[in-house]
Amino acid sequence: MLAYIIGVVLFALGICVSVALHEAGHMVTAKAFGMKVRRYFVGFGPTVFSWRRGETEYGLKWIPLGGFCDIAGMTALDEVTPDEAPRAMWRFKTWKRTVVMSAGSITHFILGFLVLYLMAVTMGLPKLAPAPTEPVLAATSCAQSATTKEQAEAQSKAKNSGCPADAPTPAATAGLRPGDKVTAVGGKPVATWEEMLAAVQATSGRTVFQVQRGGQALWLVVDVPKVQRWNGATVKEVGMIGASPQQPELTTQYGPVAAVGATVSFTGTMFAETAQRLIQFPQRIPAVVTAIFGGVRDENTPVSVVGASRIGGQAVEQGLWVLFFFLLASLNFFIGVFNLLPLLPLDGGHIAVVWYERVRDWIRARRGKVAGGPVDYTKLSGITMALVLIGGAVTLLTVTADIVNPIRIGQ
């Protein structure tokens, strides 16, 4: 339980740091271009402490969720003092405002990339599409019959059937050893463990196994007994030789140089998956509602910060640090991409308005007209409010689902 709590706290802290750095990205780029940054705070609510350095006030709020960067004159409607007016953000060139507004998302992308790179050189990057398990033996285990559904279910889940460690198995008796690769069963070629298992379960009695051992090809005769196994509906008699597969590596580790290219490639794959999740996001909301009212929680449904932190806690509790950091990187990519959607009040919405002004003025110039004024944000307030309400409703749904029916890994 303690490991779970530590994992939840660590993951939540990671999210808070990410969001704080998101706002820092806005601040650093704004200052670099000469815009005036009034305040940079981490968190919301009452102020814990603050200090002023130069023209900017820095501080910490009591609620450590997010933060904000107050740049003077982000829109033409923002009030500015006479000394701030020349440095108001809306007066700067389009590309500079675009850089400042996209800097938060870019920060998330950099953080996600750094997390993946450190994973690549330490614990390895996970294989997103693991290759099928090869029919290579890792060990032998005894084959016992099951006389009840409960026994059959227990045996089907166990790596060892529960018989004495010194009891001979059909595989061991026939001379099969750990590391042997089965290439054919009863004359039928097999390429994966699943194919070998199906072939074994369908046979009985003396059966020829073709085996690759190092550079040597062997033909071993295995006396395959029939045992009873639970197939999900009934207890069924199947062939069993008493062997377990050699599990494939789930991660790939790289050296410091090779890790750069591997991380770039992996990041590209994650961006594609993030885009796909965003496209599928609306159609998965009904499943979240179903989960709230007692339905099975689909692991592919959206999660809130609460749900992500709980999954992070489970990962730490089970020692799955690869999953913990992979989830942290994934969340950074998702937040970064989501924040660039051309919807107000997201940064992407402000960028869309800025470029609308730029294209509009270019068209006006081509027609011999003077540039138009800044966009009146009050005319967009209705759309903005609607999107805020929708976003709030979705957040409330996901948080509720993550509390009453959270996603549980390994189930």
Side-chain angles (χ1 to χ4, degrees), residues 140-142 160 162-169 172-173:
T140 57
S141 56
C142 300
N160 191 292
C163 49
D166 57 352
T169 67
T173 301

Side-chain angles (χ1 to χ4, degrees), residues 20-358:
L21 291 176
H22 170 113
E23 298 301 330
H26 292 312
M27 177 186 68
V28 170
T29 51
K31 283 179 172 289
F33 289 135
M35 302 173 191
K36 182 176 180 180
V37 179
R38 297 164 174 158
R39 295 181 299 164
Y40 171 76
F41 273 76
V42 176
F44 293 101
T47 301
V48 179
F49 60 84
S50 69
W51 72 95
R52 180 170 292 278
R53 182 175 180 182
E55 62 185 12
T56 305
E57 181 185 8
Y58 303 85
L60 178 68
K61 300 285 188 177
W62 274 109
I63 305 174
L65 297 176
F68 63 91
C69 174
D70 181 13
I71 304 173
M74 186 172 178
T75 73
L77 295 179
D78 294 346
E79 293 185 6
V80 294
T81 61
D83 65 301
E84 292 175 338
R87 299 169 60 196
M89 183 177 176
W90 68 269
R91 292 183 180 274
F92 283 74
K93 291 183 178 180
T94 299
W95 73 269
K96 289 184 178 181
R97 285 186 283 166
T98 301
V99 169
V100 173
M101 288 184 285
S102 62
S105 288
I106 293 172
T107 301
H108 284 298
F109 300 151
I110 293 173
L111 286 173
F113 183 87
L114 288 176
V115 170
L116 292 178
Y117 177 80
L118 292 175
M119 288 177 62
V121 297
T122 55
M123 59 188 70
L125 291 174
K127 295 180 179 179
L128 297 179
T133 305
E134 291 189 328
V136 179
L137 276 63
T140 57
S141 56
C142 300
Q144 267 186 350
S145 294
T147 57
T148 66
K149 170 184 172 181
E150 288 72 20
Q151 290 177 352
E153 288 178 323
Q155 288 182 12
S156 65
K157 293 179 181 178
K159 291 183 179 179
N160 191 292
S161 298
C163 49
D166 57 352
T169 67
T173 301
L176 284 164
R177 303 175 186 173
D180 285 352
K181 180 177 181 179
V182 178
T183 57
V185 176
K188 180 182 179 180
V190 293
T192 66
W193 183 267
E194 288 71 22
E195 290 180 2
M196 191 202 83
L197 184 63
V200 170
Q201 291 182 342
T203 190
S204 64
R206 294 173 63 82
T207 306
V208 176
F209 281 62
Q210 186 173 342
V211 175
Q212 190 74 28
R213 182 179 295 166
Q216 186 180 13
L218 302 173
W219 284 262
L220 303 175
V221 178
V222 183
D223 191 2
V224 182
K226 285 287 189 181
V227 296
Q228 295 188 355
R229 286 290 183 267
W230 177 251
N231 66 359
T234 60
V235 176
K236 183 181 179 182
E237 267 199 351
V238 296
M240 185 72 68
I241 63 172
S244 57
Q246 191 175 84
Q247 297 298 327
E249 291 291 333
L250 299 179
T251 60
T252 304
Q253 193 171 345
Y254 301 88
V257 177
V260 175
T263 305
V264 169
S265 176
F266 196 89
T267 299
T269 301
M270 290 191 66
F271 268 118
E273 292 192 351
T274 299
Q276 184 178 10
R277 288 202 299 270
L278 279 172
I279 294 172
Q280 297 173 345
F281 191 93
Q283 67 190 53
R284 289 179 174 170
I285 296 301
V288 176
V289 177
T290 301
I292 292 175
F293 292 98
V296 176
R297 182 72 185 271
D298 184 351
E299 62 181 13
N300 292 316
T301 52
V303 296
S304 65
V305 171
V306 174
S309 298
R310 295 189 70 166
I311 296 174
Q314 295 174 56
V316 171
E317 186 177 38
Q318 299 179 31
L320 303 175
W321 285 100
V322 169
L323 175 61
F324 179 92
F325 289 110
F326 174 75
L327 183 61
L328 189 60
S330 299
L331 193 62
N332 270 284
F333 288 131
F334 184 85
I335 294 174
V337 172
F338 183 81
N339 198 55
L340 289 178
L341 293 177
L343 304 170
L344 290 171
L346 301 177
D347 289 335
H350 289 285
I351 293 173
V353 170
V354 166
W355 279 97
Y356 162 76
E357 293 175 344
R358 182 73 178 85

Side-chain angles (χ1 to χ4, degrees), residues 76 90 356-357 360-361 364 370-376:
W90 68 269
Y356 162 76
E357 293 175 344
R360 178 203 61 190
D361 290 346
R364 289 177 67 88
V370 297
V375 166
D376 185 355

